[in-house]
Amino acid sequence: TRRDGISRRSWADSITSSTSRTGGRCAGKEAVAGSVPPGTTEEQLHYAKKLYDSAFHPDTGDRMNLIGRMSFQVPGGMAITGFMLQFYRTVPAVVFWQWVNQSFNALVNYTNRNAASPITPKQIGVAYVTATSTALATAVGLNLYTKKAPPLVARWVPFAAVASANCVNVPMMRQQEILNGIAVTDENGNKLGHSTKAAVKGITQVVVSRITMAAPGMIILPIIMQRMEKYKFMQRITFLHGPIQVMLVGGFLVFMVPAACSLFPQRCSMAVSKLEPELRDSIVSRYGDAVQRVYFNKGL
């Protein structure tokens, strides 16, 4: 339906369809500032804000690259994870798909970082190489170690590699936040300083979310596939095992991406009493007991 000439999606689409970063940012700010076209319904406003939040970085307001957005996790993740689970038997296949996965993860981690803490190209390169090396070492090592183990154990090797790499990839890609701290504010958005403890808390939550996101598909699906492959009809369509796993992983991710992202709020908080002594004393001296908690963007 239309109201005052505005279609259900027209204003929302204007936020993401603009080829100009500035135009997109300004359209998003209109929603935040409450400057909306006359006749816009609350439903349209919520839809526009949802599109804006999924496409533009909360710190910079810049439009994020498509592949790195969390909304791309289902199509991107299902393809890569499905093939990791399918091609786990040979070392070359393991190396290739772990490399693809870590390249994808590095882009996602960079895109969803706390952009208030800049990172240099050299640091990005070191983080990428370290995380990829960790994943490859874990995957290849376990692949060789489980040659004589039950088949199901070998199927779980990709998950072990992904989990261990996430523990390295996310902190390394966001190392500047750990070294220099991230900006913390009061509940009204007034900047109070930088905290390394807040950075550690936020990054830890992101790592837990990422592993949780991947766990059901990479743990349960191998059990399903091992049982299904015993049936004759599955043995006749071995060429479809890869696409089947891709689709099944997609089914898991449709539920797990929003579930994992909602485990912890993106606007994270921490009690002032748990901050570094210097920052805590600074806040107390300026605001007394008026500020009990600080807030920061933990990333996704």
Side-chain angles (χ1 to χ4, degrees):
T1 61
R2 290 177 175 267
R3 176 176 293 187
D4 295 335
I6 300 174
S7 71
R8 175 181 176 80
R9 296 174 181 260
S10 62
W11 183 61
D13 289 344
S14 72
I15 292 177
T16 53
S17 62
S18 172
T19 56
S20 165
R21 286 189 174 188
T22 303
R25 187 187 303 115
C26 290
K29 286 184 176 179
E30 288 181 359
V32 177
S35 175
V36 297
T40 302
T41 65
E42 183 177 351
E43 184 180 2
Q44 290 170 340
L45 180 61
H46 284 303
Y47 180 78
K49 188 177 185 305
K50 180 176 68 175
L51 288 184
Y52 176 77
D53 289 344
S54 70
F56 292 85
H57 199 283
D59 289 332
T60 65
D62 289 338
R63 185 166 51 189
M64 298 183 289
N65 70 81
L66 177 63
I67 297 176
R69 297 177 192 175
M70 197 54 63
S71 55
F72 193 78
Q73 275 291 311
V74 173
M78 65 186 282
I80 296 172
T81 304
F83 286 118
M84 277 197 298
L85 293 176
Q86 175 63 23
F87 302 109
Y88 66 93
R89 293 181 177 86
T90 65
V91 172
V94 169
V95 169
F96 176 75
W97 285 108
Q98 286 295 332
W99 169 74
V100 171
N101 184 55
Q102 288 313 309
S103 299
F104 176 64
N105 285 342
L107 180 58
V108 172
N109 292 336
Y110 175 76
T111 302
N112 294 281
R113 72 200 185 285
N114 182 307
S117 301
I119 183 171
T120 66
K122 180 180 179 180
Q123 291 169 330
I124 293 173
V126 171
Y128 172 69
V129 171
T130 305
T132 303
S133 300
T134 300
L136 293 179
T138 304
V140 173
L142 289 177
N143 184 272
L144 297 174
Y145 183 75
T146 58
K147 287 293 185 183
K148 297 181 180 180
L152 184 59
V153 175
R155 286 179 178 268
W156 283 331
V157 168
F159 174 67
V162 167
S164 62
N166 267 315
C167 293
V168 175
N169 199 330
V170 178
M172 286 295 294
M173 190 62 70
R174 298 175 59 179
Q175 58 187 285
Q176 282 297 101
E177 299 172 38
I178 298 174
L179 295 174
N180 301 321
I182 57 175
V184 295
T185 68
D186 61 17
E187 60 182 349
N188 297 316
N190 299 312
K191 188 174 178 180
L192 301 173
H194 288 77
S195 171
T196 56
K197 288 189 175 182
V200 170
K201 178 180 180 179
I203 291 172
T204 300
Q205 291 181 350
V206 170
V207 171
V208 172
S209 295
R210 294 291 182 82
I211 295 175
T212 302
M213 190 185 298
M218 300 191 78
I219 293 176
I220 298 174
L221 186 53
I223 300 174
I224 296 174
M225 287 302 296
Q226 182 169 340
R227 294 188 176 183
M228 289 180 62
E229 287 173 2
K230 295 179 181 178
Y231 294 103
K232 290 185 177 180
F233 81 93
M234 284 293 288
Q235 294 171 4
R236 290 196 295 267
I237 56 170
T238 54
F239 62 94
L240 289 178
H241 288 189
I244 288 173
Q245 293 203 76
V246 168
M247 297 305 296
L248 290 176
V249 169
F252 279 104
L253 289 178
V254 163
F255 296 100
M256 289 311 303
V257 169
C261 288
S262 64
L263 284 178
F264 309 102
Q266 184 168 2
R267 189 177 185 235
C268 194
S269 68
M270 175 180 281
V272 171
S273 60
K274 294 184 179 180
L275 296 172
E276 297 88 331
E278 300 83 2
L279 179 58
R280 181 181 64 231
D281 294 342
S282 173
I283 294 173
V284 172
S285 66
R286 283 187 291 168
Y287 301 98
D289 295 331
V291 177
Q292 295 292 323
R293 301 189 71 81
V294 297
Y295 299 85
F296 54 94
N297 171 31
K298 73 171 179 62
L300 288 175

